[in-house]
Amino acid sequence: MEGVLARVVAGSLDLSANVAAVAGIDQLPRALKAVADGAVSGKIIIYPQRPDLPLAPVEDWGAADEAGLTG
């Protein structure tokens, strides 16, 4: 755990392999159902500042893909 925490602090912990989909806040009920039903194998990132963003599967999600979604 200390090693993981050190990587978080250093900014070198890459969790992008765990991201399976992205969605806006309006899609939260659908995203939760997808996880509960096992339709999505991984994490779903919810962007509250982009309520209109549809639930969409992603591959190799990274910081560059977030451009324009977080601000």
Side-chain angles (χ1 to χ4, degrees):
M1 288 184 1
E2 289 177 355
V4 172
L5 180 58
R7 290 174 58 197
V8 169
V9 170
S12 64
L13 184 62
D14 182 15
L15 299 174
S16 61
N18 297 326
V19 178
V22 297
I25 194 74
D26 290 347
Q27 294 294 314
L28 183 58
R30 186 172 170 216
L32 292 172
K33 183 170 179 6
V35 171
D37 292 347
V40 174
S41 178
K43 307 295 183 202
I44 299 175
I45 298 175
I46 300 294
Y47 292 97
Q49 64 275 40
R50 286 289 311 275
D52 60 327
L53 186 66
L55 178 62
V58 296
E59 291 185 28
D60 300 321
W61 190 255
D65 299 302
E66 289 191 329
L69 296 175
T70 58

